[in-house]
Every structure is written in C-alpha cells, then in structure tokens.
Amino acid sequence: MNFETIVNLFSLHGYIILFGVLTIELIGAPTPGETILTYCGYLVFRGQLNYFLTIIIATSGVVLGITASYLLGILLNETIIDKYGKYIHLGSKNLEKVSNWFDKYGNHLLIFAYFIPGIRHITGYFSGITRISFSRFAANAYIGALIWTTTFITLGRLLGYNWNIVHTHLKDYFIISGITLIIGIFIYYKYTLKNKNTK
C-alpha cells in the first residue's frame, strides 16, 4: 500500500486508518510507517488531529500488530521450526540457546528495532519463535512502540510544513543508529559466547 493511497483513505477515515495501517505493518505488510506517523504529526500541527489521541491510537495499532506477530511466532515454532529448523541450523538445542540470549539481551532490540524498516517487522515473530516470556516481550516491545510513535509524530508536529525532511535526512540517521546498535549487541553476544566456550 503506497503513501498516496493511505493519505486518500486517511482523509475519509482518519484515526481508523492510522490504527489499521500500523497494525498490519507490524504483522509484516510493507507500509511506510515513519512516513505515516510524521504526516500525522503534520496534521496535528495543522490542528486536524489531536496530538495525544494520535499517539494513543498509533501506539495501540503497533501494540496489536506486534502482539499478533508474537503469537504467530509461537505458532511457527510449533509447526515449522520444529520440522525444518535443523536445515538452517536452528534445531531445538540452538533454538533454546537463541531463546536464552534473546530473553537476556533482546530487550534493547525490541525497544529500538522499530526505527529500522524491515527489522521491526520480524522482532515480534522472532520473540514468539524463541519463546521469550510474554511479560518481558510486552514490557519492552510496548515501550518501544510508544517511543517510536511519539518520536515521529512529534517530529512531524515540530517540523510543520517541512515534515517530509524526515525522509531525506533524519530517517537515515535513525536507521544507521539502529543498525549500529544491533551490530553491537551481536558482537557482544558472539564475544560472550566465545568466552563461555573457552572456559
């Protein structure tokens, strides 16, 4: 679904479209989340939307979407990973190791992965597949959802008529920062695992 189509629907259905689009994005649909949120911030700037209500509705849509992907991840674990995981070195033993690591260190990923297109779409699934506890998943994923939606809605509100600058400058900054964080977590994980194996 392209941005122009979403804008046209938004003019007719407003908050309902915001909620629905963000829900299906976090389930895996290729929708421009940051663009939508920043545009909503611009509409807040123009007085067409309420700032706090927009954040609440946007965050609720994200929460519903990533929770659905988490539950689907649990289903995938039972039906697919158990059967075919060994072919991609993700058998039951390796899956348990990944699950333990993700349960211990994945909170940072769950919070900041929203800022990386493509990554935020799989963190819910991976959380379910690796069976991290729902309480830990929810605590971090839901906080991340609030931070992500508030950040881009606020940016759109502050930038006003220049709201689309996000897509030429700031978006790249967030992506680079997020990728750097994930690489750092991965290196730390590999280093820690290597040290444990040498002891």
Side-chain angles (χ1 to χ4, degrees), residues 141-194:
Y142 296 174
I143 290 172
L146 179 61
I147 293 172
W148 182 57
T149 57
T150 302
T151 296
F152 282 97
I153 290 171
T154 303
L155 279 173
R157 182 187 185 188
L158 292 175
L159 292 171
Y161 293 109
N162 297 313
W163 67 273
N164 56 2
I165 196 176
V166 169
H167 315 296
T168 56
H169 298 291
L170 296 179
K171 184 178 176 181
D172 292 337
Y173 171 79
F174 283 124
I175 291 173
I176 293 171
S177 299
I179 291 174
T180 301
L181 174 66
I182 289 176
I183 291 173
I185 292 173
F186 177 76
I187 292 173
Y188 177 76
Y189 162 65
K190 296 292 288 186
Y191 177 77
T192 303
L193 184 64
K194 183 179 179 180

Side-chain angles (χ1 to χ4, degrees):
M1 186 181 293
N2 60 42
F3 180 64
E4 290 75 14
T5 301
I6 294 171
V7 168
N8 291 333
L9 291 172
F10 206 93
S11 64
L12 297 173
H13 305 289
Y15 294 116
I16 296 175
I17 295 300
L18 173 63
F19 179 87
V21 168
L22 291 178
T23 297
I24 63 173
E25 173 168 2
L26 269 295
I27 294 175
T31 56
E34 291 94 349
T35 305
I36 295 165
L37 291 170
T38 313
Y39 177 71
C40 286
Y42 165 65
L43 294 181
V44 170
F45 164 77
R46 294 185 56 180
Q48 295 178 237
L49 296 176
N50 178 272
Y51 177 65
F52 293 105
L53 183 58
T54 301
I55 290 175
I56 291 170
I57 291 175
T59 303
S60 298
V62 173
V63 164
L64 177 60
I66 200 167
T67 302
S69 65
Y70 170 82
L71 296 175
L72 288 170
I74 292 176
L75 179 62
L76 286 174
N77 181 43
E78 294 176 345
T79 59
I80 295 178
I81 298 299
D82 289 343
K83 290 183 179 180
Y84 306 108
K86 60 183 178 181
Y87 298 112
I88 56 173
H89 304 289
L90 199 61
S92 58
K93 290 184 178 179
N94 286 337
L95 188 63
E96 184 178 355
K97 290 179 182 178
V98 174
S99 178
N100 291 336
W101 173 81
F102 203 78
D103 194 42
K104 190 174 183 179
Y105 304 110
N107 56 328
H108 301 297
L109 178 62
L110 282 167
I111 291 174
F112 296 106
Y114 289 100
F115 292 89
I116 310 175
I119 300 297
R120 64 172 170 267
H121 301 87
I122 64 172
T123 51
Y125 288 102
F126 198 76
S127 298
I129 288 171
T130 56
R131 292 298 186 94
I132 73 168
S133 67
F134 179 78
S135 59
R136 177 164 293 189
F137 160 78
N140 294 290
Y142 296 174
I143 290 172
L146 179 61
I147 293 172
W148 182 57
T149 57
T150 302
T151 296
F152 282 97
I153 290 171
T154 303
L155 279 173
R157 182 187 185 188
L158 292 175
L159 292 171
Y161 293 109
N162 297 313
W163 67 273
N164 56 2
I165 196 176
V166 169
H167 315 296
T168 56
H169 298 291
L170 296 179
K171 184 178 176 181
D172 292 337
Y173 171 79
F174 283 124
I175 291 173
I176 293 171
S177 299
I179 291 174
T180 301
L181 174 66
I182 289 176
I183 291 173
I185 292 173
F186 177 76
I187 292 173
Y188 177 76
Y189 162 65
K190 296 292 288 186
Y191 177 77
T192 303
L193 184 64
K194 183 179 179 180
N195 284 347
K196 286 183 178 179
N197 291 335
T198 56
K199 290 181 179 180

